[in-house]
Amino acid sequence: MFFEFGIKDFIDILLVAFLLYYTYKVMKASGSINIFTGILVFILIWLVVSQVLEMKLLGSIFDKLVSVGVLALIVLFQEEIRRFLVTLGSHHHASALVRFFTGDKKDGLEHEDIMPIVMACISMSKQKVGALIVIERDVPLNDVVRTGDVIDANINQRLIENIFFKNSPLHDGAMVISKQRIKAAGCILPVSHNLDIPKELGLRHRAAMGISQVSDAQAIIVSEETGAISVAYRGQFYLRLNAEELERLLTIDN
């Protein structure tokens, strides 16, 4: 008896492979790859016990564990699931479709907004002034804004430099730029616990990676130790950037 294999079966296998690959990438980025591997091993043992060997007692126990395990996985991987849904919803085409039906306009940064940020980062880099600037994109950062002091000012190079001046009370936190405005400063960001982050990168880099893992925001870091400029975006670091590279990154999808 031959197994009929059609185009629908091919698409089915392709989608499952994509889902597994994307899950693997998300788990690896969040430092949970060992848990992901353990889940795959458990599922494999469950299939062998219940389907191949047909062990009724052990199979029924595994069935109960799987049914309860789904809820446990939702609790355990709530951040990763949230990130997956955020990524799905913040995709360029999906966001454009939502804006089309709701009538909203994208409040992306224009060139005249990006250049003061770039120039401020270059200036702070030369003086080795630490800074952390988060640029909101499609995913709102209202919860992050509420952790800091609201400023709601025009994007200005001097203002950015003054906020991150070493004696400023707001220089330790993150600045959030939203809807072409400096929305708040001194904000607290979620810190990434990814073990793959190099040890020479400090708390600012971990906070930048954290916000990039739970949203589609771009986080700019100016190192206080080296003056190096980096960007965390979609769970990935772009290190040691010059002015042109920083400008190019900030104009993505704008």
Side-chain angles (χ1 to χ4, degrees):
M1 182 178 178
F2 293 98
F3 179 73
E4 295 182 4
F5 188 83
I7 185 67
K8 196 161 38 172
D9 300 304
F10 174 75
I11 295 173
D12 188 21
I13 293 172
L14 193 66
L15 289 175
V16 170
F18 172 77
L19 182 62
L20 285 174
Y21 175 70
Y22 186 82
T23 305
Y24 169 78
K25 283 185 64 178
V26 171
M27 294 295 104
K28 187 176 181 181
S30 63
S32 307
I33 188 62
N34 291 333
I35 299 176
F36 177 71
T37 305
I39 292 170
L40 288 181
V41 171
F42 177 82
I43 293 174
L44 184 61
I45 295 173
W46 171 54
L47 291 175
V48 170
V49 167
S50 60
Q51 302 297 325
V52 180
L53 301 178
E54 296 183 352
M55 296 179 176
K56 293 182 179 180
L57 180 59
L58 194 57
S60 62
I61 294 174
F62 273 97
D63 290 340
K64 295 294 182 182
L65 288 175
V66 168
S67 60
V68 176
V70 172
L71 295 176
L73 288 177
I74 292 174
V75 175
L76 188 62
F77 294 113
Q78 55 182 324
E79 288 298 330
E80 285 76 12
I81 294 171
R82 182 177 183 272
R83 185 185 169 200
F84 172 76
L85 296 176
V86 164
T87 304
L88 190 64
S90 63
H91 191 273
H92 181 69
H93 298 295
S95 301
L97 189 63
V98 171
R99 287 193 296 271
F100 174 78
F101 283 109
T102 59
D104 293 337
K105 295 182 179 179
K106 185 175 181 179
D107 298 312
L109 294 181
E110 302 294 338
H111 185 263
E112 56 267 24
D113 301 314
I114 291 173
M115 288 314 297
I117 301 172
V118 173
M119 297 307 297
C121 289
I122 295 299
S123 176
M124 291 186 291
S125 173
K126 292 177 180 177
Q127 302 174 58
K128 292 187 177 180
V129 175
L132 179 54
I133 303 172
V134 179
I135 300 176
E136 180 187 274
R137 295 175 68 81
D138 292 321
V139 179
L141 299 176
N142 298 331
D143 291 341
V144 175
V145 169
R146 280 194 285 268
T147 64
D149 295 306
V150 176
I151 296 176
D152 196 21
N154 291 326
I155 300 174
N156 181 278
Q157 178 183 346
R158 289 185 179 276
L159 177 57
I160 295 173
E161 291 183 39
N162 284 335
I163 287 174
F164 288 110
F165 182 68
K166 292 182 179 179
N167 292 330
S168 169
L170 300 176
H171 82 280
D172 274 337
M175 173 188 291
V176 176
I177 294 179
S178 170
K179 295 180 175 60
Q180 301 172 334
R181 305 276 291 176
I182 297 177
K183 205 70 175 178
C187 299
I188 301 172
L189 303 182
V191 177
S192 173
H193 298 287
N194 189 344
L195 298 178
D196 293 332
I197 297 177
K199 293 182 179 180
E200 61 268 18
L201 301 181
L203 188 58
R204 280 194 180 93
H205 289 80
R206 288 192 171 273
M209 177 58 73
I211 194 64
S212 78
Q213 289 177 334
V214 299
S215 74
D216 62 342
Q218 293 171 316
I220 309 170
I221 316 103
V222 180
S223 173
E224 193 170 354
E225 289 76 22
T226 64
I229 300 173
S230 306
V231 170
Y233 180 51
R234 296 192 184 277
Q236 183 177 347
F237 275 126
Y238 300 85
L239 303 172
R240 301 176 187 86
L241 302 174
N242 56 34
E244 292 77 14
E245 292 169 334
L246 178 59
E247 181 185 354
R248 187 165 61 249
L249 265 176
L250 297 184
T251 55
I252 291 177
D253 294 336
N254 280 331

